[in-house]
Amino acid sequence: MEEQRPLARVPALVRRSDGFSEQFSLPDDTHFWIRIEMPISDALLISDFSLGALSEYDGGMALIDALAQCGQIQPRKITFLALGSEEDDSVAETMIGLDGVIEAYVSRRRMFVSGKELATKRGKVSVSYQFHSFERG
Protein backbone atom coordinates (compact mmCIF):
# COMPACT_ATOMS: atom_id res chain seq x y z
CA MET A 1 0.00 0.00 0.00
CA GLU A 2 1.32 3.43 -0.96
CA GLU A 3 2.26 5.68 1.96
CA GLN A 4 0.24 8.87 2.06
CA ARG A 5 2.30 12.05 2.13
CA PRO A 6 1.57 14.70 4.74
CA LEU A 7 -0.44 17.73 3.71
CA ALA A 8 1.73 20.31 2.02
CA ARG A 9 2.29 23.65 3.66
CA VAL A 10 1.48 25.84 0.68
CA PRO A 11 1.50 29.54 1.59
CA ALA A 12 -1.86 31.30 1.66
CA LEU A 13 -3.16 32.02 -1.81
CA VAL A 14 -4.04 35.57 -2.79
CA ARG A 15 -7.46 35.64 -4.47
CA ARG A 16 -8.73 38.23 -6.95
CA SER A 17 -11.88 38.30 -9.04
CA ASP A 18 -12.50 40.30 -12.20
CA GLY A 19 -16.09 39.25 -12.87
CA PHE A 20 -14.98 36.74 -15.52
CA SER A 21 -12.62 34.60 -13.44
CA GLU A 22 -11.22 33.83 -10.02
CA GLN A 23 -7.45 34.29 -9.95
CA PHE A 24 -5.03 32.91 -7.39
CA SER A 25 -1.38 33.74 -6.87
CA LEU A 26 1.32 33.46 -4.21
CA PRO A 27 2.86 36.63 -2.80
CA ASP A 28 6.42 35.26 -2.90
CA ASP A 29 6.24 33.45 -6.26
CA THR A 30 5.42 35.65 -9.23
CA HIS A 31 5.38 32.60 -11.53
CA PHE A 32 2.62 30.70 -9.67
CA TRP A 33 -0.84 31.39 -11.09
CA ILE A 34 -4.29 29.79 -11.28
CA ARG A 35 -7.20 31.34 -13.21
CA ILE A 36 -10.58 29.60 -12.93
CA GLU A 37 -13.19 30.82 -15.40
CA MET A 38 -16.62 31.84 -14.13
CA PRO A 39 -19.25 30.68 -13.62
CA ILE A 40 -17.94 28.21 -11.07
CA SER A 41 -19.68 24.85 -11.47
CA ASP A 42 -18.88 21.15 -11.16
CA ALA A 43 -17.25 21.31 -14.62
CA LEU A 44 -14.42 23.81 -14.16
CA LEU A 45 -12.43 25.62 -16.82
CA ILE A 46 -8.91 26.64 -15.84
CA SER A 47 -7.53 29.06 -18.39
CA ASP A 48 -4.16 29.66 -16.71
CA PHE A 49 -2.16 27.34 -14.50
CA SER A 50 1.51 27.73 -13.66
CA LEU A 51 3.26 25.93 -10.81
CA GLY A 52 5.98 28.52 -10.45
CA ALA A 53 8.41 27.16 -7.83
CA LEU A 54 5.90 24.66 -6.38
CA SER A 55 6.27 20.90 -6.80
CA GLU A 56 3.49 19.01 -8.57
CA TYR A 57 2.30 17.72 -5.18
CA ASP A 58 2.19 21.22 -3.68
CA GLY A 59 0.45 22.41 -6.85
CA GLY A 60 -2.25 19.82 -6.23
CA MET A 61 -2.67 21.10 -2.67
CA ALA A 62 -2.85 24.70 -3.96
CA LEU A 63 -5.53 23.59 -6.44
CA ILE A 64 -7.53 22.11 -3.54
CA ASP A 65 -7.24 25.41 -1.68
CA ALA A 66 -8.27 27.48 -4.73
CA LEU A 67 -11.30 25.29 -5.43
CA ALA A 68 -12.34 25.39 -1.76
CA GLN A 69 -12.19 29.20 -1.85
CA CYS A 70 -14.52 29.07 -4.88
CA GLY A 71 -16.91 26.77 -3.01
CA GLN A 72 -16.25 23.83 -5.33
CA ILE A 73 -14.38 21.08 -3.48
CA GLN A 74 -15.17 18.11 -5.71
CA PRO A 75 -15.85 19.02 -9.33
CA ARG A 76 -16.76 16.19 -11.68
CA LYS A 77 -14.50 17.63 -14.39
CA ILE A 78 -11.58 20.03 -14.69
CA THR A 79 -10.41 21.30 -18.09
CA PHE A 80 -7.08 23.07 -18.48
CA LEU A 81 -7.48 25.32 -21.52
CA ALA A 82 -4.95 26.38 -24.17
CA LEU A 83 -1.85 24.64 -22.84
CA GLY A 84 0.03 25.61 -25.97
CA SER A 85 0.20 25.10 -29.69
CA GLU A 86 -0.20 21.59 -31.04
CA GLU A 87 3.20 22.05 -32.71
CA ASP A 88 4.87 23.06 -29.43
CA ASP A 89 7.00 20.27 -27.93
CA SER A 90 6.61 21.71 -24.42
CA VAL A 91 2.89 20.83 -24.38
CA ALA A 92 3.75 17.20 -23.61
CA GLU A 93 5.94 18.31 -20.71
CA THR A 94 3.16 20.56 -19.42
CA MET A 95 0.67 17.70 -19.58
CA ILE A 96 3.00 15.39 -17.64
CA GLY A 97 3.24 18.07 -14.95
CA LEU A 98 -0.55 18.44 -14.85
CA ASP A 99 -0.89 14.67 -14.45
CA GLY A 100 1.26 14.96 -11.30
CA VAL A 101 -0.83 17.85 -9.97
CA ILE A 102 -4.05 15.94 -10.61
CA GLU A 103 -2.63 12.78 -9.01
CA ALA A 104 -1.91 14.75 -5.81
CA TYR A 105 -5.32 16.42 -6.00
CA VAL A 106 -7.34 13.18 -6.31
CA SER A 107 -5.31 11.39 -3.62
CA ARG A 108 -6.41 14.02 -1.07
CA ARG A 109 -10.00 14.17 -2.30
CA ARG A 110 -10.62 10.39 -2.20
CA MET A 111 -11.35 10.45 -5.91
CA PHE A 112 -9.88 8.89 -9.02
CA VAL A 113 -9.52 10.02 -12.59
CA SER A 114 -12.22 8.23 -14.57
CA GLY A 115 -11.32 9.81 -17.89
CA LYS A 116 -8.85 12.07 -19.62
CA GLU A 117 -9.50 13.78 -22.93
CA LEU A 118 -7.31 15.88 -25.18
CA ALA A 119 -8.82 18.45 -27.50
CA THR A 120 -7.48 20.99 -29.96
CA LYS A 121 -9.29 24.24 -30.68
CA ARG A 122 -7.84 26.90 -32.97
CA GLY A 123 -4.47 25.13 -32.79
CA LYS A 124 -4.33 25.15 -28.96
CA VAL A 125 -4.28 21.94 -26.93
CA SER A 126 -6.52 21.50 -23.87
CA VAL A 127 -6.84 18.56 -21.49
CA SER A 128 -9.87 17.51 -19.43
CA TYR A 129 -9.89 15.21 -16.43
CA GLN A 130 -13.13 13.54 -15.32
CA PHE A 131 -13.39 12.39 -11.71
CA HIS A 132 -15.27 9.82 -9.70
CA SER A 133 -15.49 9.81 -5.89
CA PHE A 134 -14.90 6.71 -3.82
CA GLU A 135 -17.99 5.54 -1.98
CA ARG A 136 -17.67 6.26 1.71
CA GLY A 137 -19.05 3.52 3.85
Side-chain angles (χ1 to χ4, degrees):
M1 179 175 221
E2 184 178 319
E3 184 179 324
Q4 190 151 23
R5 294 174 64 175
L7 286 173
R9 298 207 190 286
V10 176
L13 297 176
V14 176
R15 180 181 180 183
R16 288 180 300 284
S17 179
D18 63 9
F20 300 102
S21 65
E22 297 290 336
Q23 303 145 30
F24 298 89
S25 59
L26 291 172
D28 295 331
D29 185 349
T30 59
H31 299 286
F32 173 85
W33 188 260
I34 301 174
R35 182 189 313 262
I36 302 171
E37 298 299 311
M38 294 175 79
I40 304 297
S41 70
D42 68 343
L44 296 174
L45 299 176
I46 298 180
S47 57
D48 290 307
F49 188 87
S50 174
L51 284 173
L54 294 183
S55 68
E56 292 169 5
Y57 180 81
D58 289 345
M61 300 306 102
L63 182 59
I64 287 172
D65 185 17
L67 296 182
Q69 288 189 46
C70 291
Q72 183 51 268
I73 59 169
Q74 288 193 327
R76 67 177 170 78
K77 181 179 181 180
I78 296 176
T79 300
F80 294 88
L81 299 170
L83 301 176
S85 168
E86 55 191 340
E87 290 89 29
D88 187 353
D89 293 337
S90 69
V91 169
E93 211 173 295
T94 300
M95 288 178 46
I96 290 168
L98 286 175
D99 285 347
V101 168
I102 292 298
E103 182 180 322
Y105 169 77
V106 297
S107 72
R108 285 291 172 195
R109 286 286 164 229
R110 293 195 40 80
M111 303 168 78
F112 64 91
V113 176
S114 59
K116 180 179 174 183
E117 181 181 347
L118 300 176
T120 304
K121 185 174 184 178
R122 292 186 217 127
K124 299 288 185 181
V125 177
S126 297
V127 61
S128 297
Y129 297 87
Q130 292 84 30
F131 306 107
H132 185 77
S133 296
F134 289 104
E135 293 290 326
R136 296 178 192 221

